Amino acid sequence: MTEEATQPQAATAGKSPRRSKAAGGSDYNAASIQVLEGLEAVRKRPGMYIGSTDESGLHHLVWEVVDNSIDEAMASQATKIFITIKADGTVIVVDDGRGVPVGKHSTGKDALEVVHTVLHAGGKFGGGGYKVSGGLHGVGVSVVNALSSWMRVESARDGGIWAQEYARGKPLGPVKKIGPQGDRRGTTTAFRADPDMFETIEFSFETISQRIRQSAYLTKGVWISLIDERSERERSFYFEGGIQSFVRHLNRNKEVIDSRPIYVEQRDKTTLVEVALQYNDTYTENVLSFANNINTVDGGSHVTGFRAALTSSLNDWARRAGVLKDSDANLAGDDVREGLTAVVSVKLTDPQFEGQTKAKLGNAEVKGQVQTAVAEKLGQYLDENPGDGRRIIEKCLTAARARDAARKARDLVLRKGALDGLSLPGKLADCQERDPARSELYLVEGDSAGGSAKQGRDRRFQAILPLRGKLLNVEKARLDKIVASENVRPLIIALGAGIEGIGDSFDITKLRYHRIIIMTDADVDGAHIRTLLLTFFYRFMPQVIENGYLYIAQPPLYRVSTGKVTKYAQSEQERDRIVKEMDRKNVSVQRFKGLGEMNADQLWDTTMNPETRTLLRAEIDDAATADAIFTMLMGEKVAPRKQFINTEARKVRNLDV
């Protein structure tokens, strides 16, 4: 979750931005042109290189250094990577690869210095150093150097150990030989993030651990160890099974349909295709895709090839096996992907990504390479394991029937709305604004809180939808049940974009609100409703989260007043601080048990006024982790949920029941 203080939206309607004096042209001349040399551009605009300067950007520094070591492992030159977080925040990454090249470069500087101080300098631009790599266009390690207050690099190769230190990207001296190489090989990189560049310099053990676990799955046979000296924690990963182990991990809290993951590995010219897939008893699809170990969250040609092969192969086998008759319609793509967990990984010499963030693979030839490999191996597996094949096809047929029922239920809702002249649910108090970018929808727990919210809102741009009764747990429900649900259907209709899973029926461009705010009580029931809603959006409207449209309101728990001065607190600690600051005998403290206890003015002042409220934006940092959490919290298996609750209960300090 990302905390975000929001500003009024409707109030700015109709206003034009002011033009600065420079924009007029009179002060814009040759002297206005700045030339940033070396790594100055990185320090001037760090977000252009690492995305942001928050916690996400901070951890990007670690990814860039570790990915260089992973590249060595993908080149079969490294087998071990060690990451240490020191007590002072220094991060040290050690590998047993080839080491950074040293010696005089054509620029006149040492090659090690060039790699760490010049943008777009590295061994990943066709020079033969790497057949496959995942580095960020060659800017990675130099960007880390620019954004670090201190960095030291040691390279063990060519008979010696060579070292150089830097401060904010600038060398503190020349590259020096500090000793003989001996048995040592590889690169050691130590850096401290510059506090002047980042909002926080506190590295997260769990965030780094999740990322390196993924890297270990994708590069089988490499040992990756993480040591946190701040908390004396240590975690190591090694997976001989590679992405097969990854799929088993993703399905660990689910009942699987086929006995073991189906594995595909095939080399086509210079492209290595790896796919592992396994079906489970859930109703959602979980396909993770990677190109050169980079998570392509928006898919691309490799995913297109995989899906095409999956659909055609299952249909072909089902007809050969007699499960599908000649008169039966083919299974659709949505049908064969329900309950599917898969990892699609390709490694290629010249990946073409769409956009700086590398979210989508664009190499057209990869589609055919993946499609051919998957079709051949999947058909072979089904022929050799007909029992698994029949169970998979039966699940697909059940999905097809449920999807058809969901489509009919959706069409019935739309027809009924048109006949009644009511295209929006009756409980919805809509806003006057019709521009989605300026419109907000509050999802409010119950009619009581809904009443206060309707009275307190700014009806120009704030809409209210009270949620009736217990929300359906979509993790345990088929699509037809979800569409027909009395407490989910009004939400789908109010949002106006449809729902994923019924063909191409979800259209983000039709979304009626670009700020959807979950506002529930700060108690156990409220937390449960919030989790149910988050599960729904993650499973059936993930683009809402990906586009940054989903938020969680932060209503106060306490009202502290002297009669003349009133303040609100969201925690006991904040309440105690406010009481101490007021330092009066007649201070009164009110504990809000629910939103319904607040009058309209209080709810507006604390939770709905864009000038004073605080919202948490829902984000997906790690798709595999998010999938596992929702499965554990809302799925069928009780044992993993009990274990999670027992573990996390130790951390609870203030429990409101």
Side-chain angles (χ1 to χ4, degrees), residues 237-257:
F237 302 101
Y238 176 87
F239 301 108
E240 192 65 43
I243 62 172
Q244 293 180 80
S245 301
F246 199 174
V247 168
R248 289 193 186 96
H249 172 73
L250 294 170
N251 276 341
R252 67 192 183 281
N253 291 328
K254 302 168 184 174
E255 295 291 343
V256 296
I257 303 298

Side-chain angles (χ1 to χ4, degrees), residues 16 70 86 94 105 110 140 336 375 384 443 574 596 648 652 654:
S16 300
I70 291 292
K86 306 291 286 186
V94 181
H105 187 261
D110 192 283
V336 303
E384 295 173 354
L443 306 179
E574 190 177 5
E648 296 300 311
V652 174
N654 303 305

Side-chain angles (χ1 to χ4, degrees), residues 69 116 399 475 484 573 587:
S69 297
H116 290 87
E475 192 75 13
Q573 293 78 9
V587 173

Side-chain angles (χ1 to χ4, degrees), residues 192-452:
R192 281 195 296 271
D194 190 346
D196 294 338
M197 292 285 100
F198 295 94
E199 298 169 17
T200 176
I201 56 171
E202 188 72 20
F203 290 99
S204 165
F205 178 85
E206 289 300 331
T207 299
I208 298 174
S209 178
Q210 290 167 11
R211 172 64 182 260
I212 65 172
R213 177 199 294 270
Q214 176 179 290
S215 296
Y217 279 129
L218 294 167
T219 314
K220 59 183 176 183
V222 63
W223 176 280
I224 310 180
S225 179
L226 172 64
I227 300 172
D228 189 346
E229 294 185 356
R230 302 168 304 177
S231 56
E232 297 183 351
R233 286 190 290 178
E234 182 174 350
R235 201 169 286 171
S236 297
F237 302 101
Y238 176 87
F239 301 108
E240 192 65 43
I243 62 172
Q244 293 180 80
S245 301
F246 199 174
V247 168
R248 289 193 186 96
H249 172 73
L250 294 170
N251 276 341
R252 67 192 183 281
N253 291 328
K254 302 168 184 174
E255 295 291 343
V256 296
I257 303 298
D258 36 334
S259 55
R260 66 184 187 277
I262 302 169
Y263 179 63
V264 176
E265 181 179 6
Q266 188 167 303
R267 184 174 293 278
D268 187 334
K269 298 177 182 176
T270 58
T271 301
L272 176 64
V273 176
E274 274 192 288
V275 176
L277 64 133
Q278 187 178 40
Y279 283 87
N280 57 65
D281 64 348
T282 68
Y283 309 120
T284 55
E285 169 193 2
N286 184 25
V287 175
L288 303 181
S289 65
F290 302 86
N292 291 4
N293 282 21
I294 297 167
N295 187 193
T296 46
V297 294
D298 292 334
S301 54
H302 52 335
V303 176
T304 302
F306 165 70
R307 287 179 167 175
L310 182 71
T311 304
S312 62
S313 296
L314 288 177
N315 275 298
D316 290 346
W317 186 86
R319 293 198 183 278
R320 290 203 315 272
V323 184
L324 277 181
K325 309 300 181 188
D326 291 341
S327 58
D328 293 334
N330 269 347
L331 295 164
D334 285 335
D335 303 328
V336 303
R337 294 196 299 271
E338 182 177 290
L340 171 70
T341 296
V343 175
V344 180
S345 175
V346 294
K347 296 185 172 98
L348 60 164
T349 54
D350 187 23
Q352 303 297 317
F353 295 101
E354 297 182 12
Q356 176 73 14
T357 57
K358 297 187 176 182
K360 190 173 184 179
L361 183 67
N363 297 65
E365 73 280 4
V366 173
K367 175 182 179 294
Q369 293 171 330
V370 173
Q371 188 169 349
T372 300
V374 173
E376 179 182 328
K377 292 297 176 68
L378 181 55
Q380 179 183 337
Y381 177 89
L382 295 172
D383 287 338
E384 295 173 354
N385 301 272
D388 283 354
R390 289 182 179 275
R391 283 189 291 273
I392 291 171
I393 298 301
E394 284 300 325
K395 178 172 179 58
C396 296
L397 288 169
T398 304
R401 289 189 288 269
R403 211 168 308 281
D404 184 57
R407 189 178 293 108
K408 290 177 180 177
R410 179 200 63 186
D411 294 343
L412 178 63
V413 168
L414 295 177
R415 286 199 304 273
K416 186 177 184 300
L419 289 172
D420 294 346
L422 297 173
S423 59
L424 293 174
K427 285 280 185 178
L428 174 69
D430 207 2
C431 58
Q432 298 166 355
E433 178 64 59
R434 289 295 172 262
D435 181 358
R438 296 175 177 273
S439 302
E440 300 180 348
L441 175 64
Y442 276 86
L443 306 179
V444 185
E445 175 186 357
D447 289 337
S448 176
S452 295

Side-chain angles (χ1 to χ4, degrees), residues 428-432 440 442 450-464 600-601 603-604 608-609:
L428 174 69
D430 207 2
C431 58
Q432 298 166 355
E440 300 180 348
Y442 276 86
S452 295
K454 288 177 182 178
Q455 294 175 35
R457 68 178 175 139
D458 185 331
R459 65 179 61 245
R460 292 178 300 166
F461 65 98
Q462 291 179 325
I464 309 295
D601 290 341
L603 194 57
W604 166 257
M608 300 182 71
N609 183 351

